[in-house]
Amino acid sequence: MQITPVHTRLFQESENLPAFVAEHLPSVPEKTILTVSSKLVCLWKGLSVPYKSRAQKEALIRQESAAALQTPLAWLTIKNGMIMTNAGIDESNADGKLLLLPSDCYACAAELRAILQQAWRVKELGVIITDSMILPLRAGVIGAAVAYAGFKGVKDLRGAPDIYGKKLEVTLVNAADALAAACALTMGEAAEQCPLCRVDRAPVEFVDQTDPGEIKYPPENDLYTPLLKAVGLVK
């Protein structure tokens, strides 16, 4: 697998994102995966508001969240079935604005993929919208997939044998978030100006229709549910 970050010019709000991508990547081969910073998608859809105050930002976070819990560093929230910081609302690299995630990031990923398929004349193409997240009890941020399209984001290894022939019982491999994390490491978090990343020869299965539900794990079986219940983030 080869990962190539793409340095770009600054993207302007409400600019045509597919055209911007094609400007910096005139062509790609079949079986390419493109990762795109969620900031570009927010700007593409015009989802920004001028930053006024901390109180305004906190009100927006609560408004955009299915559940929200204030912590010493930020708000721990649930949005679109995913735990994230501040409901995905971002003010870094936003030029004095607050950027809000679209209500349906999967629709945005599918839309971008469909347009780029035609522009690049490829059939097997994956798109991942990335954002930063924090793992429990780990320092620093990593990349995660807030949405994706064009490939299976989860590999089901249940029933497959390990090296000693023992069948795996619960193992699912989260390919979408793994790819997002790998790409985010090269895209950067500060002034790198690499909001796009190209992945060649990724070990995934390309599909025409993506199932957003495949990556959502039932709360009753989730490892962290007891902790989330203890602090009141989930019932």
Side-chain angles (χ1 to χ4, degrees):
M1 185 173 77
Q2 181 174 348
I3 295 175
T4 308
V6 180
H7 188 272
T8 72
R9 61 172 174 80
L10 290 179
F11 183 75
Q12 304 301 317
E13 186 164 7
S14 298
E15 187 177 349
N16 185 313
L17 180 56
F20 175 84
V21 173
E23 173 188 333
H24 294 89
L25 280 171
S27 65
V28 300
E30 292 281 355
K31 300 184 182 297
T32 293
I33 289 181
L34 173 76
T35 61
V36 183
S37 167
S38 60
K39 288 184 177 67
L40 295 192
V41 178
C42 298
L43 291 169
W44 176 33
K45 297 301 180 180
L47 297 173
S48 75
V49 295
Y51 178 85
K52 296 180 181 179
S53 67
R54 180 175 178 178
Q56 171 222 21
K57 181 178 179 180
E58 291 183 351
L60 282 171
I61 290 170
R62 293 192 296 269
Q63 173 186 305
E64 294 289 308
S65 305
L69 177 70
Q70 192 168 23
T71 74
L73 291 178
W75 286 79
L76 183 65
T77 61
I78 298 178
K79 181 179 174 65
N80 297 336
M82 180 178 179
I83 293 178
M84 59 178 66
T85 305
N86 294 340
I89 295 175
D90 204 349
E91 58 179 298
S92 64
N93 285 319
D95 194 24
K97 298 178 181 179
L98 298 175
L99 301 181
L100 283 66
L101 287 176
S103 58
D104 190 343
C105 289
Y106 280 90
C108 294
E111 179 184 358
L112 179 58
R113 174 179 178 266
I115 297 172
L116 290 175
Q117 277 181 300
Q118 292 188 354
W120 288 332
R121 298 182 180 180
V122 295
K123 180 180 180 181
E124 294 183 304
L125 174 69
V127 170
I128 303 174
I129 299 174
T130 67
D131 203 351
S132 301
M133 69 173 293
I134 300 173
L135 294 179
L137 302 180
R138 290 289 191 177
V141 299
I142 65 170
V146 295
Y148 57 91
F151 65 98
K152 289 187 177 181
V154 177
K155 293 183 177 183
D156 189 346
L157 298 184
R158 291 172 295 186
D162 67 10
I163 59 174
Y164 297 105
K166 183 182 183 298
K167 288 188 176 182
L168 302 175
E169 296 180 1
V170 297
T171 303
L172 302 171
V173 176
N174 184 336
D177 283 327
L179 287 168
C183 290
L185 185 62
T186 68
M187 293 161 73
E189 296 285 343
E192 294 86 353
Q193 213 168 307
C194 293
L196 307 174
C197 188
R198 170 180 160 180
V199 184
D200 295 291
R201 301 185 299 280
V204 299
E205 180 181 348
F206 289 87
V207 294
D208 288 330
Q209 298 295 325
T210 299
D211 175 16
E214 68 178 351
I215 203 168
K216 295 181 180 180
Y217 206 63
E220 60 270 22
N221 296 333
D222 192 83
L223 178 66
Y224 294 105
T225 291
L227 287 174
L228 299 177
K229 283 184 175 180
V231 297
L233 196 61
V234 299
K235 296 181 180 180

